[in-house]
Amino acid sequence: MSQPGPRAVLIGPPGSGKTTVADLLAEHWGVSARDTDADVELSEGRSISDIFVESGEAHFRALEHQAVAEALRSHDGVLALGGGAVLDPATRELLAGHPVVFLQVGLAEAVKRIGLGTSRPLVMGNVRARIKAMLDERTPVYASVATLSVATDGRTPDEVAREIAGALP
Protein backbone atom coordinates (compact mmCIF):
# COMPACT_ATOMS: atom_id res chain seq x y z
CA MET A 1 0.00 0.00 0.00
CA SER A 2 1.39 3.40 -0.87
CA GLN A 3 1.74 6.08 1.75
CA PRO A 4 -0.37 9.24 1.91
CA GLY A 5 0.73 11.93 -0.49
CA PRO A 6 0.39 12.71 -4.17
CA ARG A 7 -1.76 10.53 -6.38
CA ALA A 8 1.11 10.59 -8.90
CA VAL A 9 4.61 12.08 -8.95
CA LEU A 10 5.91 12.87 -12.43
CA ILE A 11 9.65 12.77 -13.11
CA GLY A 12 11.70 13.06 -16.27
CA PRO A 13 14.12 15.28 -18.14
CA PRO A 14 13.40 18.79 -19.38
CA GLY A 15 11.05 18.59 -22.35
CA SER A 16 9.32 15.39 -21.22
CA GLY A 17 6.08 17.27 -20.47
CA LYS A 18 5.89 16.89 -16.70
CA THR A 19 4.07 20.15 -15.96
CA THR A 20 1.68 19.86 -18.91
CA VAL A 21 0.83 16.22 -18.21
CA ALA A 22 0.46 16.94 -14.46
CA ASP A 23 -2.14 19.61 -15.24
CA LEU A 24 -4.08 17.27 -17.56
CA LEU A 25 -3.93 14.35 -15.14
CA ALA A 26 -5.04 16.53 -12.24
CA GLU A 27 -7.98 17.78 -14.30
CA HIS A 28 -8.91 14.19 -15.24
CA TRP A 29 -8.86 13.07 -11.59
CA GLY A 30 -10.42 16.25 -10.19
CA VAL A 31 -7.42 17.10 -8.01
CA SER A 32 -4.86 19.89 -8.04
CA ALA A 33 -1.48 19.91 -9.76
CA ARG A 34 1.70 21.20 -8.16
CA ASP A 35 5.17 21.78 -9.60
CA THR A 36 8.19 21.89 -7.28
CA ASP A 37 10.06 24.25 -9.62
CA ALA A 38 7.20 26.74 -9.21
CA ASP A 39 7.28 26.19 -5.43
CA VAL A 40 11.02 27.04 -5.34
CA GLU A 41 10.53 30.16 -7.46
CA LEU A 42 7.65 31.30 -5.25
CA SER A 43 9.55 30.74 -2.00
CA GLU A 44 12.66 32.51 -3.31
CA GLY A 45 10.90 35.28 -5.21
CA ARG A 46 13.15 34.73 -8.23
CA SER A 47 13.45 32.45 -11.24
CA ILE A 48 15.35 29.18 -11.22
CA SER A 49 17.78 30.67 -13.75
CA ASP A 50 18.45 33.57 -11.36
CA ILE A 51 18.91 31.19 -8.41
CA PHE A 52 21.48 29.19 -10.44
CA VAL A 53 23.37 32.32 -11.53
CA GLU A 54 23.24 34.23 -8.25
CA SER A 55 23.44 31.41 -5.68
CA GLY A 56 24.70 28.35 -7.53
CA GLU A 57 23.35 24.91 -8.35
CA ALA A 58 24.06 23.50 -4.85
CA HIS A 59 21.84 26.17 -3.27
CA PHE A 60 19.09 25.46 -5.80
CA ARG A 61 19.30 21.70 -5.18
CA ALA A 62 18.93 22.25 -1.41
CA LEU A 63 15.84 24.39 -2.01
CA GLU A 64 14.51 21.80 -4.45
CA HIS A 65 14.92 18.98 -1.91
CA GLN A 66 13.00 21.01 0.69
CA ALA A 67 10.23 21.72 -1.85
CA VAL A 68 9.92 18.04 -2.78
CA ALA A 69 9.84 16.94 0.87
CA GLU A 70 7.13 19.49 1.70
CA ALA A 71 5.04 18.61 -1.38
CA LEU A 72 5.23 14.87 -0.70
CA ARG A 73 3.99 15.52 2.86
CA SER A 74 1.23 17.98 2.07
CA HIS A 75 0.00 17.54 -1.53
CA ASP A 76 -2.53 14.87 -2.47
CA GLY A 77 -2.95 15.73 -6.16
CA VAL A 78 -0.48 15.36 -9.01
CA LEU A 79 3.09 16.49 -8.39
CA ALA A 80 5.64 17.39 -11.09
CA LEU A 81 9.29 17.44 -9.99
CA GLY A 82 12.08 19.44 -11.56
CA GLY A 83 14.15 17.41 -14.01
CA GLY A 84 17.16 17.13 -11.69
CA ALA A 85 15.36 16.52 -8.39
CA VAL A 86 16.00 12.77 -8.47
CA LEU A 87 19.77 13.27 -8.65
CA ASP A 88 19.75 13.82 -4.88
CA PRO A 89 19.88 10.43 -3.09
CA ALA A 90 17.89 11.89 -0.17
CA THR A 91 15.13 12.96 -2.56
CA ARG A 92 15.10 9.50 -4.16
CA GLU A 93 14.61 8.01 -0.67
CA LEU A 94 11.64 10.32 -0.08
CA LEU A 95 10.00 9.01 -3.28
CA ALA A 96 9.96 5.39 -2.06
CA GLY A 97 6.39 4.18 -1.62
CA HIS A 98 4.90 6.90 -3.85
CA PRO A 99 3.49 6.30 -7.36
CA VAL A 100 6.35 7.74 -9.44
CA VAL A 101 5.85 8.07 -13.20
CA PHE A 102 8.91 8.49 -15.45
CA LEU A 103 8.01 10.44 -18.59
CA GLN A 104 10.52 9.17 -21.13
CA VAL A 105 11.58 11.39 -24.01
CA GLY A 106 14.14 10.77 -26.73
CA LEU A 107 16.93 13.15 -27.65
CA ALA A 108 15.39 14.46 -30.88
CA GLU A 109 12.02 15.04 -29.26
CA ALA A 110 13.54 16.75 -26.18
CA VAL A 111 15.59 19.10 -28.36
CA LYS A 112 12.51 19.93 -30.43
CA ARG A 113 10.37 20.59 -27.35
CA ILE A 114 12.93 22.64 -25.44
CA GLY A 115 14.08 24.58 -28.47
CA LEU A 116 17.31 26.44 -28.96
CA GLY A 117 16.27 29.67 -27.28
CA THR A 118 15.99 28.18 -23.83
CA SER A 119 15.99 29.74 -20.39
CA ARG A 120 16.84 26.42 -18.74
CA PRO A 121 20.15 26.89 -16.93
CA LEU A 122 21.52 23.39 -17.46
CA VAL A 123 20.99 23.31 -21.22
CA MET A 124 22.65 26.56 -22.22
CA GLY A 125 25.27 26.40 -24.99
CA ASN A 126 25.19 23.38 -27.30
CA VAL A 127 21.61 22.38 -26.52
CA ARG A 128 21.66 19.01 -28.31
CA ALA A 129 24.94 17.90 -26.67
CA ARG A 130 23.81 19.07 -23.23
CA ILE A 131 20.49 17.28 -23.49
CA LYS A 132 22.18 14.08 -24.72
CA ALA A 133 24.59 14.15 -21.75
CA MET A 134 21.69 14.85 -19.39
CA LEU A 135 19.63 11.94 -20.78
CA ASP A 136 22.63 9.59 -20.59
CA GLU A 137 23.30 10.55 -16.97
CA ARG A 138 19.74 10.75 -15.66
CA THR A 139 17.75 8.06 -17.50
CA PRO A 140 19.02 5.19 -15.30
CA VAL A 141 18.25 7.27 -12.18
CA TYR A 142 14.72 8.09 -13.37
CA ALA A 143 14.11 4.43 -14.20
CA SER A 144 15.41 3.29 -10.79
CA VAL A 145 12.80 5.29 -8.83
CA ALA A 146 9.84 4.94 -11.22
CA THR A 147 6.92 2.65 -10.53
CA LEU A 148 5.64 3.35 -14.07
CA SER A 149 7.47 4.48 -17.21
CA VAL A 150 5.58 6.12 -20.08
CA ALA A 151 7.04 6.95 -23.50
CA THR A 152 6.11 10.45 -24.68
CA ASP A 153 7.76 10.64 -28.12
CA GLY A 154 5.27 11.26 -30.93
CA ARG A 155 2.36 11.44 -28.48
CA THR A 156 0.18 14.28 -27.30
CA PRO A 157 0.14 15.24 -23.62
CA ASP A 158 -3.50 14.05 -23.55
CA GLU A 159 -2.49 10.58 -24.76
CA VAL A 160 0.24 10.39 -22.12
CA ALA A 161 -2.11 11.55 -19.35
CA ARG A 162 -4.74 8.99 -20.42
CA GLU A 163 -2.17 6.17 -20.28
CA ILE A 164 -1.13 7.20 -16.76
CA ALA A 165 -4.74 7.53 -15.60
CA GLY A 166 -5.45 4.04 -16.93
CA ALA A 167 -2.40 2.54 -15.22
CA LEU A 168 -2.77 4.14 -11.77
CA PRO A 169 -5.77 3.65 -9.48
Side-chain angles (χ1 to χ4, degrees):
M1 183 71 190
S2 67
Q3 58 200 51
R7 185 141 178 204
V9 180
L10 305 186
I11 63 171
S16 60
K18 297 178 297 290
T19 303
T20 303
V21 172
D23 289 342
L24 291 167
L25 203 50
E27 185 179 323
H28 173 81
W29 282 332
V31 297
S32 62
R34 184 166 169 180
D35 185 311
T36 57
D37 279 351
D39 290 351
V40 169
E41 289 183 336
L42 190 63
S43 73
E44 284 289 289
R46 53 190 175 145
S47 72
I48 289 171
S49 292
D50 285 348
I51 296 168
F52 263 80
V53 169
E54 297 164 8
S55 304
E57 183 175 359
H59 180 70
F60 169 73
R61 295 295 176 205
L63 296 170
E64 181 176 54
H65 175 77
Q66 293 168 355
V68 172
E70 170 56 28
L72 289 172
R73 268 194 307 275
S74 65
H75 185 65
D76 63 0
V78 180
L79 181 62
L81 302 192
V86 299
L87 299 178
D88 178 358
T91 298
R92 291 195 300 272
E93 284 180 30
L94 292 175
L95 292 172
H98 291 283
V100 178
V101 182
F102 169 25
L103 299 185
Q104 301 168 309
V105 63
L107 176 60
E109 191 79 16
V111 170
K112 187 167 56 174
R113 291 178 188 175
I114 291 173
L116 298 178
T118 182
S119 64
R120 298 170 193 254
L122 290 182
V123 292
M124 300 293 227
N126 182 338
V127 174
R128 186 177 181 84
R130 300 283 243 158
I131 293 172
K132 181 182 184 327
M134 189 181 293
L135 291 174
D136 290 348
E137 173 195 9
R138 295 180 181 180
T139 296
V141 180
Y142 294 134
S144 76
V145 297
T147 55
L148 174 68
S149 294
V150 178
T152 66
D153 287 9
R155 303 175 73 194
T156 68
D158 280 316
E159 290 168 333
V160 173
R162 278 197 300 275
E163 179 176 337
I164 296 166
L168 295 179

